[in-house]
Amino acid sequence: MASESAAPSPSPATGAGPAPAEPTALQELRRLRTGPRGLTDPEAEARLAELGENTLPDTRTPSWSRRFVRGLRDPFTTVLLCLGLVSATVSAWGTACVILSLVGVSCLLRATGEHRADRSTAALRELVPTTATVLRRPDRDRPPEERETPAAELVPGDIVRLAPGDLVPADVRLLRAHGLTVHQAALTGESAPVAKDAAEAPATPAGGGPFDHPRLCFQGSSVVTGSATALVLETGPRTRFARAHRAPARREASAFERSVHGISWVLIRFMLLTPPLVLMTNATLRDRGLETLPFAVAVAVGLTPEMLPVIVTSCLARGARQLARTHGVIVKRLPALHDLGAVDVLCVDKTGTLTEDRPVVRRALDGTGRDAPEVLNRAAAAAWWTLQLADLPAPDVLDEALLDAADGSWEAYEGVAAVPFDPVRRLATAVVRGGLGSHTLLVKGAPEAVLERCALEPAERERLLALAAREAADGLRVIALATADRPARTRPYTPADERGLDFSGFVTFRDALAPTAARALRDLAARGVTVRILTGDHPGTAARACRDLGLDPGEVRTAGAPDDHTARVVARCTPEDKARIVTELRRSGHTVGFFGDGVNDVPALGAADVGIAPRDAVEVARRSADTVLAFKDLGAIDHAVAAGRHSSGNIAAYLRVTLSSNLGNVVAMLAAGLLLPFLPMLPAQVLAQNLCFDAAQLAFARDRPAADALARPTVLRPRDFLRFITGFGLLNAVADLATFAVLALSLDGPDALDDRAVFHSAWFTENLLTQALVMVLLRSGRRAAEGRGPGPVGRAAIVLAAVALLLPFTPLGAALGLTALPVGHYLLLAAVLALYAAALWAVRAFYERRSAALGGHP
């Protein structure tokens, strides 16, 4: 018995490489040591123990604590953690507590947002059937019996029955089939059922995809019509469906990660040089050594955008929550929301995205190409009576389209008999009552099959075939209708009666357009997003769908053609083609989103900057995607893109403001530290100023960017960004040093600068006021000119200015070493600030004009 239950070797039909010749059904039965009567219970149990259950690979998501620790990988978070530890080492406990609190809040927000997204998608595994009808025997001497067995207990060598509505429980080889069609959308994304047949053939048809084998059915597909008996070839992790569920390869860094890391590491290098530079210069020029270490750490913290992790996570988490609440869009990986905002190319499949998973009648025409409504009525009558008299569970998609278009016209016909559709002859026949003592056959099916059975001259047959081919080349599906009058009889009708027919006409079908697709395409184009179609369909079918939606397909290329990644529509794409094209687009400098829902879309979902899948996609596609939509709707993607740009615009505005201001303050402090006989600001004052500025900048998480910021992809280009903050940072430093010069001239006597409290208070106030100006002017730009209200950022800037003016008068200000200034000093500061505001406004206007002329992103 041990030899009989040994694990079978991998099947050539489902292995990774093509076999030289396809094994026959008998050879497969022998290889798997089984027969048409199925396995015995002991054999099945032994194979189950050896090979394991027929289940999908287990997928585990990181725990909440692991996500929290993973948040420390952010470069700024790591540097903040190091600075906090350094502050604790030198007993600067206030600094350490503030910095470490920011680190904890950032990691907490990021871990909570990603954990919530995973919980929202945790219950979406539903594509593997729970039971299967299998032939089993208690022992070799007993006859086989059909059993409803848990699908998890299937093993290679089992014989299973398939019926309409069944989910295929494993990879199987058909032994017998009658009118079998299966729905493989979960595997290929294509909506049309695929005909399967058990007939032997010497080899798999050349050029077919991995799921196009006519004698194989795969786990994850479902039976639409017909019935079959099949041999289980592979189960569990060895099925094609399960292999696709394996963890995808780690993708390259996304657009968001590349841009933020590029900016971060430049600033980090500069920031890490600041403490040693401050220590060395003070020790050399002012004979101040380690006592300046707290000030050096405070200056380094002043350059650091401490709130960046908090602002980024808050903006993205808030945008993700609003998307989930208002549009049913789940963002599984928070940085993917920024990537959505940066997307400038969106790749989609045609089926189910631009079109629905159903055809509709376009027109009925006679042999001359003119409209012929009677052809539609007769075709609908054939569909109706075949459905009724052949006892089919449901009409196929083409018959359903006929019935919808004919709107009850079949009621004029009285059905007598039916010969159901057979994938081999590709025909279906309904018999209705004709004139007195006669029956009329209504035969519909593939044009070649129908015309072959018509009484036509060869030239006429060729002309009609050419007419059908022209319609098909235009992206339409075509069926032909023929009729024949026969004397009435009681004897059953068979396929042998489908001879000597009179050709009636053609009915053409197009894919039903998704209701929101045309508007969504216009909205995406208005946002600067180019939609590209990567489909496995015929080029004509893809081009037809684009034209029906008002989208110019341009030159439709076939996958593998030179520079196919530059085409608007690429047809005949395999999964590998889709991933390759997405990768080539990314290498060309584009930020690419990919929308897919089948196993064949998984490679492209992993290759894109941001992968998008609908909720009803296969589980592996949902797991590979960064964003999950409640419905298969391009309009939801448009909302997600807008939300991503909203969040990204706020993050970019925060970075512009904080880095420009911080860089200017640090440069001014370093210069003043060399010129003054004392520290330009006490460490506690530096940290208090940073804390006030950082608290005000939390308003960026709730701000609304100007409309022009949402009209184009949001990209943080490190080189342009650093050029921006360097220019405005130096302008800020000039304002700070001008304040220093004014204070030096306004104080009485050569020793007036020894009045440290006055100097510290004046510079503290001036710094906060300039930061409030920067928040309003660098953030607002055109917004102020548009006459809008202050918004969250404007209100936060007003509060910051009030703190700058009032804090020196409070007990907290006294504890920080601040003192009230004479009225004259406030007037001098007001003059400096007015000049600074005018210069800032002028430079910002020049920068906006230059960026607009160059097509940049200020």
Side-chain angles (χ1 to χ4, degrees):
M1 184 66 67
S3 63
E4 294 176 357
S5 61
S9 60
S11 169
T14 57
E22 179 191 349
T24 65
L26 181 59
Q27 289 171 332
E28 290 283 26
L29 288 169
R30 289 175 176 172
R31 181 183 64 83
L32 294 170
R33 301 179 182 89
T34 186
R37 300 201 303 164
L39 298 173
T40 65
D41 288 336
E43 288 172 340
E45 291 171 3
R47 293 186 183 188
L48 183 64
E50 184 171 354
L51 298 175
E53 290 189 341
N54 178 35
T55 56
L56 293 181
D58 184 28
T59 56
R60 297 182 180 179
T61 56
S63 63
W64 189 92
S65 57
R66 185 181 294 271
R67 292 184 188 278
F68 183 89
V69 174
R70 199 165 61 184
L72 295 175
R73 296 179 184 175
D74 180 84
F76 274 125
T77 304
T78 303
V79 170
L80 281 176
L81 181 61
C82 294
L83 290 176
L85 296 177
V86 170
S87 300
T89 303
V90 297
S91 301
W93 300 111
T95 305
C97 289
V98 171
I99 294 175
L100 295 177
S101 297
L102 292 174
V103 171
V105 169
S106 171
C107 293
L108 179 66
L109 287 173
R110 178 170 297 181
T112 302
E114 293 183 359
H115 184 67
R116 184 184 296 115
D118 275 348
R119 280 191 314 174
S120 300
T121 57
L124 298 179
R125 294 169 60 92
E126 55 194 18
L127 285 174
V128 177
T130 57
T131 63
T133 304
V134 61
L135 288 181
R136 289 275 178 86
R137 296 175 289 162
D139 55 56
R140 288 186 172 276
D141 297 329
R142 303 279 293 276
E145 56 187 33
E146 290 189 2
R147 304 178 188 173
E148 278 296 308
T149 301
E153 297 179 6
L154 288 181
V155 294
D158 267 327
I159 305 297
V160 295
R161 306 284 198 196
L162 300 176
D166 286 349
L167 291 172
V168 178
D171 287 357
V172 300
R173 205 276 190 201
L174 298 178
L175 301 178
R176 292 187 298 276
H178 178 69
L180 183 68
T181 60
V182 298
H183 203 288
Q184 297 187 148
L187 303 171
T188 65
E190 298 302 324
S191 61
V194 178
K196 299 288 185 176
D197 183 23
E200 300 288 355
T204 303
F211 299 107
D212 292 338
H213 198 297
R215 287 164 292 285
L216 297 180
C217 295
F218 300 94
Q219 185 183 61
S221 56
S222 59
V223 178
V224 179
T225 62
S227 60
T229 300
L231 168 67
V232 174
L233 297 178
E234 299 288 7
T235 60
R238 294 165 298 281
T239 65
R240 289 187 184 274
F241 190 67
R243 288 203 298 268
H245 278 69
R246 293 172 185 167
R250 183 175 178 82
R251 73 175 71 195
E252 300 176 10
S254 67
F256 177 75
E257 293 164 340
R258 293 195 302 268
S259 57
V260 170
H261 284 195
I263 296 169
S264 299
W265 284 113
V266 173
L267 294 173
I268 286 170
R269 294 187 188 100
F270 184 67
M271 184 176 59
L272 293 178
L273 290 174
T274 300
L277 180 63
V278 172
L279 290 174
M280 288 188 296
T281 53
N282 277 275
T284 302
L285 301 179
R286 295 295 180 182
D287 198 24
R288 296 192 293 260
L290 290 178
E291 65 269 20
T292 62
L293 181 58
F295 175 73
V297 171
V299 171
V301 173
L303 180 62
T304 306
E306 302 100 326
M307 299 301 291
L308 177 61
V310 177
I311 293 292
V312 167
T313 308
S314 297
C315 286
L316 297 179
R318 186 169 183 268
R321 286 196 302 271
Q322 289 181 337
L323 271 178
R325 185 171 60 250
T326 58
H327 301 292
V329 178
I330 299 172
V331 179
K332 295 169 52 183
R333 184 177 60 86
L334 285 181
L337 188 59
H338 174 276
D339 294 337
L340 279 167
V343 162
D344 60 344
V345 174
L346 176 66
C347 297
V348 302
D349 193 352
K350 175 191 68 66
T351 304
T353 305
L354 302 180
T355 60
E356 295 183 335
D357 293 336
R358 62 182 181 87
V360 294
V361 172
R362 183 172 183 268
R363 61 182 296 216
L365 56 154
D366 60 18
T368 64
R370 292 191 292 267
D371 288 337
E374 184 57 29
V375 172
L376 174 62
N377 296 338
R378 290 181 176 180
W384 174 257
W385 287 113
T386 302
L387 176 67
Q388 299 299 315
L389 299 176
D391 198 23
L392 299 179
D396 69 14
V397 290
L398 295 182
D399 284 350
E400 192 168 10
L402 287 170
L403 296 176
D404 288 341
D407 193 22
S409 63
W410 61 84
E411 295 176 356
Y413 298 86
E414 181 182 354
V416 174
V419 182
F421 178 82
D422 185 334
V424 175
R425 44 187 254 280
R426 298 186 296 165
L427 295 173
T429 297
V431 182
V432 298
R433 295 193 186 280
L436 183 62
S438 69
H439 290 165
T440 300
L441 276 63
L442 305 177
V443 182
K444 65 177 179 62
E448 299 87 351
V450 172
L451 290 171
E452 181 183 354
R453 291 163 172 80
C454 290
L456 295 171
E457 294 294 330
E460 178 66 8
R461 181 178 291 108
E462 291 301 321
R463 186 187 69 79
L464 293 172
L465 285 173
L467 175 60
R470 286 197 299 272
E471 296 292 326
D474 199 30
L476 301 173
R477 287 192 243 180
V478 183
I479 65 169
L481 178 74
T483 64
D485 291 326
R486 299 283 190 265
R489 74 187 194 200
T490 58
R491 180 165 44 90
Y493 286 87
T494 68
D497 295 302
E498 299 166 341
R499 292 290 185 271
L501 306 177
D502 298 321
F503 178 75
S504 181
F506 296 112
V507 181
T508 62
F509 304 81
R510 62 172 176 82
D511 289 331
L513 303 179
T516 61
R519 178 176 178 180
L521 287 173
R522 291 193 298 270
D523 292 343
L524 288 168
R527 296 189 191 279
V529 178
T530 300
V531 176
R532 300 197 177 183
I533 316 301
L534 309 181
T535 180
D537 275 345
H538 186 279
T541 305
R544 160 63 59 182
C546 292
R547 288 194 295 270
D548 288 345
L549 288 165
L551 180 68
D552 180 13
E555 180 186 355
V556 179
R557 298 189 184 178
T558 302
D563 296 329
D564 54 2
H565 67 283
T566 63
R568 173 67 64 87
V569 179
V570 184
R572 300 298 192 194
C573 285
T574 66
E576 293 73 20
D577 289 326
K578 294 179 181 181
R580 174 183 54 80
I581 291 172
V582 167
T583 301
E584 290 175 354
L585 286 170
R586 292 186 68 192
R587 288 174 181 167
S588 301
H590 296 287
T591 302
V592 184
F594 184 87
F595 183 48
D597 60 355
V599 172
N600 63 328
D601 294 321
V602 170
L605 287 168
D609 286 287
V610 54
I612 310 166
R615 186 175 59 183
D616 58 357
V618 298
E619 195 270 347
V620 66
R622 290 193 303 267
R623 182 160 56 87
S624 301
D626 304 298
T627 303
V628 178
L629 310 182
F631 305 101
K632 193 183 291 186
D633 181 10
L634 276 181
I637 299 180
D638 177 64
H639 292 304
V641 169
R645 294 185 183 179
H646 187 150
S647 299
S648 301
N650 287 341
I651 294 170
Y654 163 76
L655 284 172
R656 285 197 298 269
V657 168
T658 191
L659 294 179
S660 299
S661 179
N662 289 356
L663 181 62
N665 287 341
V666 166
V667 171
M669 284 186 183
L670 291 175
L674 299 178
L675 298 173
L676 295 175
F678 53 84
L679 293 177
M681 197 176 290
L682 299 179
Q685 294 168 349
V686 174
L687 292 173
Q689 174 184 276
N690 288 339
L691 183 60
C692 293
F693 188 35
D694 291 338
Q697 290 180 102
L698 287 173
F700 280 105
R702 304 188 64 84
D703 197 24
R704 292 191 62 82
D708 61 328
L710 304 179
R712 59 182 180 271
T714 304
V715 181
L716 302 177
R717 295 189 175 90
R719 182 174 299 177
D720 295 342
F721 211 87
L722 292 174
R723 187 182 300 117
F724 179 95
I725 63 175
T726 300
F728 284 95
L730 292 177
L731 181 61
N732 191 17
V734 169
D736 287 344
L737 293 175
T739 302
F740 163 64
V742 168
L743 290 174
L745 294 175
S746 63
L747 295 175
D748 298 328
D751 297 327
L753 286 179
D754 289 335
D755 190 352
R756 303 180 182 185
V758 173
F759 188 90
H760 291 161
S761 300
W763 206 351
F764 181 91
T765 301
E766 185 270 344
N767 272 340
L768 286 184
L769 291 175
T770 56
Q771 287 169 337
L773 278 175
V774 168
M775 285 181 65
V776 173
L777 296 181
L778 286 194
R779 160 63 190 89
S780 298
R782 299 185 183 95
R783 187 187 186 98
E786 292 168 0
R788 299 186 179 184
V793 172
R795 291 190 291 271
I798 293 172
V799 172
L800 183 63
V803 170
L805 295 171
L806 300 178
L807 186 61
F809 295 92
T810 65
L812 178 58
L816 292 172
L818 301 176
T819 185
L821 299 177
V823 175
H825 286 71
Y826 286 110
L827 296 177
L828 291 173
L829 291 178
V832 172
L833 289 171
L835 292 174
Y836 173 63
L840 190 64
W841 182 272
V843 174
R844 172 61 193 257
F846 170 78
Y847 185 85
E848 284 187 345
R849 288 194 299 271
R850 182 174 178 273
S851 296
L854 297 177
H857 303 269

